[in-house]
Amino acid sequence: AVSLLLPQMLYPYVSSAWASSNFSLCRKYYYFGVAGAVGVYLLLAVPVFLLRKPLFTLWLGKGGYPGTVTLAVLLLYQLIYVHHGAHASPVLATTGRAFILPATLCALATPPLVALMADRIGMPGIPAGMVLGVIPATVIVVLKSWLHMTRAVHPAEMELATT
């Protein structure tokens, strides 16, 4: 996604700042990356949603529009994905550890939820199942990322805090 380019471009800077124990700069990159990714996404998604009917008619032809609910839930899914990725990228740059548990949870939960929701509510159920499948993983990734990036302090700051 275009909106995740900013956190990806900040990756080497976060890694370098972390290696030099400049945790304050890491946090700045982290906040900037998350806010920038979500901001870019919203700048792109809001016009798509507002101009949905003419855009989809032009793109897919008359009768190709999937419906407002389906599009809204799909855009919500993408927003969650962008938010999730923007939080994860700087953590991966600092620790190199993958989020194996949340990724596995998402991979196992999403397909059955998509099938169940599609069966229950039709076309909007596909992105709704995706949203339901990714939310637990996103909660874990965002919380772990937030704690990792906001609690990191320079060793000298630790000494000042304990004296």
Side-chain angles (χ1 to χ4, degrees):
V2 171
S3 50
L4 285 174
L5 287 176
L6 180 60
Q8 290 170 357
M9 290 186 317
L10 290 171
Y11 196 103
Y13 299 103
V14 172
S15 184
S16 177
W18 190 270
S20 64
S21 297
N22 191 344
F23 303 120
S24 172
L25 185 57
C26 284
R27 279 189 287 279
K28 288 178 185 175
Y29 289 142
Y30 172 70
Y31 298 139
F32 183 64
V34 171
V38 171
V40 167
Y41 175 75
L42 291 173
L43 284 173
L44 296 171
V46 169
V48 167
F49 186 75
L50 294 176
L51 300 169
R52 61 193 174 270
K53 289 187 180 177
L55 283 176
F56 276 87
T57 301
L58 181 65
W59 179 32
L60 300 173
K62 191 172 173 118
Y65 178 61
T68 301
V69 173
T70 302
L71 179 61
V73 179
L74 188 59
L75 291 173
L76 173 65
Y77 170 77
Q78 188 63 30
L79 175 61
I80 293 168
Y81 174 79
V82 165
H83 186 252
H84 174 128
H87 277 277
S89 184
V91 173
L92 294 172
T94 62
T95 66
R97 294 184 196 146
F99 293 100
I100 294 172
L101 175 64
T104 304
L105 178 65
C106 185
L108 293 174
T110 301
L113 287 168
V114 166
L116 177 71
M117 295 302 292
D119 185 55
R120 297 259 169 112
I121 61 174
M123 177 71 89
I126 295 170
M130 293 164 55
V131 167
L132 292 174
V134 79
I135 285 177
T138 297
V139 168
I140 294 168
V141 167
V142 169
L143 287 176
K144 283 185 131 185
S145 299
W146 179 262
L147 291 173
H148 176 74
M149 296 306 289
T150 61
R151 288 188 175 178
V153 293
H154 191 278
E157 293 174 15
M158 281 290 257
E159 289 176 25
L160 291 174
T162 58
T163 57

